[in-house]
Amino acid sequence: MKRADYPTALRTVIGELKRLPGIGPRSAERIALWLVQSRDARADAVARAISEVTTQVHPCERCGFFSTEPLCDICADPSRDPSVLCVVEQPTDVLPLERTGGFRGRYHTLGGRISPLDHVGPDDLRIGSLIERTREEKFSEVILALGADVEGEATANYLAEILNAMHVTVTRLAQGLPAGAGLDHADELTIQRALSGRTRIAPHSL
Amino acid sequence: MRFVLRSLKLRHFRCFEAFETEFSDGLNCIVGPNARGKTSVLEAACILLRLQSPRVSKLAPVVQHERQGFVVDGYFGQRHLQFYFSRNRKKLALDEVAQADAHEYLQVGRVVYFSNTDIELVRGSGEVRRRFLDFVAVQRDGLYRNALRAYDRALRSRNLLLKGYPVRWREVAAFEEPLLAAGRLVSEVRARLVAELQPEADAAHRVISGSREELRVEYRAGAGEDFAQALDAARGEDARLRQTTVGPHRDELAFFLNGQSTEYASEGQQRTVVLALKLGAMRLLERHFGRTPLLLLDDVFGELDVARRNALLAVLPSGAQKLVTTTHLDWMASGLEAHRIPLG
């Protein structure tokens, strides 16, 4: 006797779902069964949304952020300050910066960082277009908002060297103590950086 | 509740499919014939508390043959420690709460490991001595781990770039600032630790050797006086050898008895020196945290005659918890009370 299993169509869906990040075989099975059995499932709508998102969303051709047009909302927004550029590693790094409401310039996403141990070199990143933009858009300041780990630091150093030679002011995010934490919870590397990046408390600000 | 290792459970660890045992506050003897996993039990206790093995630098070989990963699980005082390791992922839990990083977990228990291969500290390569220093330094200052890891990553990145054809120097240079920043910290912490260890090891040496010889421990920075300058000066050499030739990864420790290098000391003297170093590390941690670390003694009694075995046990603080491996117990002085854990 042949052992029964789900019909092929259902198994295909389970197989596809299993490939998604964070979804194991059990969850894949549950989702697939729900799509088939539940009245609220709206499987058509899910399928349509997925297929649309993949055809419509692509990287902004200027900055690499998510967009449905050639230029993303940020690059297309004329009220943005065109003289300041903020360089980040990933498109997902843009949103935390946006949520602060403290930055009104535009962005450039590298798509990663230089990491020899992961076989990622400068040519694998959007560094060429960054140089081009810097030349054409004549920024007064380029802010490097990269990670504070070894690779993030190295990438910042690499970019700073190139950009400084183009006579643009290069800055990087201050590094140091997390807001709301005491000195006793910080490691020496952090304290050392916080110390070297210390800021003056001017008399009038008190 | 005393701060001692109360229990230990293993799964898929070295030769053990599954194993569990409890420990007493004082002396615990793990007894059994060879190849039954006595050393593995000590190794597991060390990995449970410190997340690293005293025997190997990578944990992959600790996984039982043809298994995905191992689990070590145990109680230290009231704290419940759990660690799962496989080649693809590691999971840590402290009191059943998953830990995103190891910092708090590693504050729970501290360890000094005595082994019959300790003589390598004098005879072996510099790597052995740096590992010893770092093992103690991370326990004394938990955040030192971050500097050590950053240095390791920056160093491996720079070395990999130096092996490229042609070498892309702008990328090499980009990794030098993080290398220098982390490297300076590593040197500082190690130098400070040696300065603290020196008097403790010397005092311990006087007690166990009964001699008046002075034991001196000297730290020699592989980065020289000024790491940035040394790195700059070595650039030609680095390009030729395609690796970073200066830095804390070339740090050395040297030991002297009355000013004479221990390289030429007798085997007996060398064994006394390494024992003094371990006892010194124990005192240092004890002084710093107000309690004696867990003492793991792996087959250290093998080479010693009965009188010396008991003498060694006598220099270890009587109140400290000790896990000892031995093939038999006949030699132990009759007054000693030991909790016996038979294997095999």
Side-chain angles (χ1 to χ4, degrees):
Chain A
M1 193 180 75
K2 203 178 144 215
R3 254 177 62 202
D5 198 348
Y6 293 125
T8 315
L10 193 50
R11 271 187 290 148
T12 311
V13 174
I14 295 173
E16 288 300 324
L17 288 170
K18 218 162 46 182
R19 292 180 50 245
L20 302 179
I23 296 188
R26 300 283 303 173
S27 308
E29 194 176 327
R30 247 187 24 234
I31 295 169
L33 289 173
W34 182 78
L35 286 170
V36 177
Q37 292 179 322
S38 169
R39 240 178 277 149
D40 312 324
R42 301 196 297 152
D44 285 354
V46 174
R48 214 174 320 120
I50 292 175
S51 106
E52 274 171 17
V53 78
T54 49
T55 54
Q56 290 181 4
V57 176
H58 53 81
C60 165
E61 61 187 36
R62 192 178 292 164
C63 76
F65 186 60
F66 305 107
S67 178
T68 50
E69 306 296 321
L71 288 187
C72 70
D73 289 351
I74 300 172
C75 286
D77 183 351
S79 71
R80 291 266 168 174
D81 182 351
S83 68
V84 197
L85 184 77
C86 182
V87 179
V88 295
E89 290 177 12
Q90 298 293 351
T92 45
D93 296 336
V94 168
L95 293 179
L97 285 158
E98 279 295 290
R99 283 190 204 111
T100 66
F103 180 68
R104 293 295 303 154
R106 296 213 168 91
Y107 296 92
H108 189 83
T109 66
L110 295 172
R113 67 265 190 83
I114 300 174
S115 178
L117 299 177
D118 302 307
H119 311 289
V120 179
D123 299 342
D124 303 312
L125 307 172
R126 302 166 49 91
I127 290 177
S129 59
L130 171 64
I131 295 168
E132 214 170 286
R133 283 185 76 182
T134 307
R135 197 178 292 126
E136 282 167 12
E137 297 179 44
K138 308 232 173 337
F139 306 112
S140 63
E141 180 183 359
V142 175
I143 305 168
L144 302 176
L146 308 176
D149 54 356
V150 169
E151 285 81 4
E153 293 264 297
T155 308
N157 293 334
Y158 183 87
L159 295 178
E161 164 122 12
I162 295 174
L163 296 171
N164 276 325
M166 298 174 74
H167 304 292
V168 54
T169 304
V170 184
T171 57
R172 68 162 71 175
L173 294 188
Q175 295 180 347
L177 303 174
L183 278 181
D184 49 341
H185 289 295
D187 63 275
E188 288 181 57
L189 211 53
T190 306
I191 295 179
Q192 198 182 57
R193 283 179 187 150
L195 196 59
S196 66
R198 67 189 179 276
T199 50
R200 178 160 189 246
I201 302 179
H204 65 261
S205 71
L206 288 175
Chain B
M1 179 53 63
R2 287 206 39 188
F3 295 100
V4 296
L5 183 62
R6 287 160 49 206
S7 63
L8 180 65
K9 264 197 258 186
L10 315 180
R11 188 149 182 82
H12 301 163
F13 188 100
R14 295 262 186 205
C15 62
F16 294 106
E17 172 72 27
F19 175 79
E20 67 178 284
T21 186
E22 295 196 339
F23 301 105
S24 79
D25 280 16
L27 179 60
N28 294 269
C29 290
I30 301 157
V31 197
N34 289 324
R36 293 295 157 85
K38 297 190 297 291
T39 299
S40 300
V41 174
L42 293 201
E43 183 182 35
C46 183
I47 291 175
L48 178 71
L49 293 174
R50 304 309 315 162
L51 304 175
Q52 71 185 96
S53 164
R55 297 162 81 187
V56 287
S57 54
K58 296 251 186 289
L59 288 179
V62 177
V63 179
Q64 192 187 20
H65 188 56
E66 290 186 336
R67 294 293 184 177
Q68 279 284 316
F70 68 76
V71 179
V72 285
D73 178 315
Y75 279 85
F76 189 86
Q78 299 283 38
R79 315 294 313 257
H80 187 191
L81 298 166
Q82 291 166 295
F83 175 45
Y84 167 81
F85 172 92
S86 78
R87 279 168 190 82
N88 307 323
R89 61 198 203 134
K90 295 176 199 175
K91 281 199 285 186
L92 284 177
L94 183 54
D95 300 328
E96 285 92 40
V97 179
Q99 304 287 302
D101 75 76
H103 184 65
E104 203 191 334
Y105 183 103
L106 286 172
Q107 300 300 312
V108 173
R110 292 177 175 78
V111 164
V112 178
Y113 199 96
F114 300 77
S115 153
N116 59 352
T117 58
D118 280 350
I119 198 160
E120 290 296 308
L121 265 176
V122 175
R123 294 185 175 174
S125 69
E127 176 70 26
V128 180
R129 289 177 283 279
R130 287 188 293 273
R131 263 173 65 96
F132 164 68
L133 266 191
D134 289 340
F135 188 73
V136 182
V138 169
Q139 299 198 67
R140 188 195 172 293
D141 175 6
L143 297 163
Y144 172 59
R145 229 166 140 253
N146 298 348
L148 208 54
R149 289 175 147 200
Y151 182 73
D152 177 62
R153 238 183 129 77
L155 177 68
R156 286 194 293 135
S157 300
R158 187 175 189 266
N159 285 346
L160 204 59
L161 289 169
L162 286 170
K163 288 182 174 60
Y165 277 102
V167 176
R168 297 188 302 256
W169 285 102
R170 183 175 265 166
E171 281 171 68
V172 173
F175 276 89
E176 284 174 5
E177 189 205 278
L179 183 82
L180 290 171
R184 285 195 191 104
L185 267 178
V186 170
S187 310
E188 261 172 53
V189 171
R190 284 180 181 168
R192 212 187 305 147
L193 186 82
V194 171
E196 276 180 42
L197 182 63
Q198 152 70 38
E200 304 288 2
D202 182 36
H205 185 261
R206 279 167 212 261
V207 173
I208 47 179
S209 70
S211 79
R212 279 155 207 249
E213 283 174 319
E214 182 212 27
L215 169 62
R216 195 158 57 76
V217 186
E218 195 180 286
Y219 171 73
R220 293 175 180 165
E225 293 272 298
D226 180 336
F227 191 10
Q229 227 167 55
L231 193 67
D232 215 32
R235 203 156 276 137
E237 184 78 348
D238 288 2
R240 201 170 59 77
L241 295 171
R242 299 185 170 270
Q243 57 174 309
T244 308
T245 55
V246 294
H249 61 293
R250 296 287 174 94
D251 278 356
E252 255 300 6
L253 271 188
F255 313 114
F256 300 91
L257 282 178
N258 274 351
Q260 293 275 328
S261 167
T262 52
E263 262 177 90
Y264 312 108
S266 74
E267 175 165 347
Q269 281 176 314
Q270 290 180 341
R271 288 202 180 273
T272 317
V273 167
V274 295
L275 187 59
L277 289 169
K278 294 285 170 106
L279 290 168
M282 175 192 81
R283 281 280 174 239
L284 187 155
L285 293 173
E286 194 175 61
R287 229 178 264 277
H288 204 74
F289 297 100
R291 52 184 200 241
T292 313
L294 171 64
L295 305 181
L296 302 173
L297 295 101
D298 183 24
D299 203 19
V300 287
F301 300 101
E303 298 88 4
L304 304 176
D305 58 43
V306 172
R308 285 186 190 194
R309 290 176 190 185
N310 287 303
L312 170 54
L313 276 184
V315 292
L316 299 176
S318 55
Q321 189 185 27
K322 308 166 196 82
L323 311 190
V324 174
T325 62
T326 181
T327 43
H328 54 88
L329 275 177
D330 327 339
W331 53 271
M332 207 167 275
S334 50
L336 277 173
E337 253 184 59
H339 173 69
R340 201 161 165 272
I341 299 161
L343 275 188

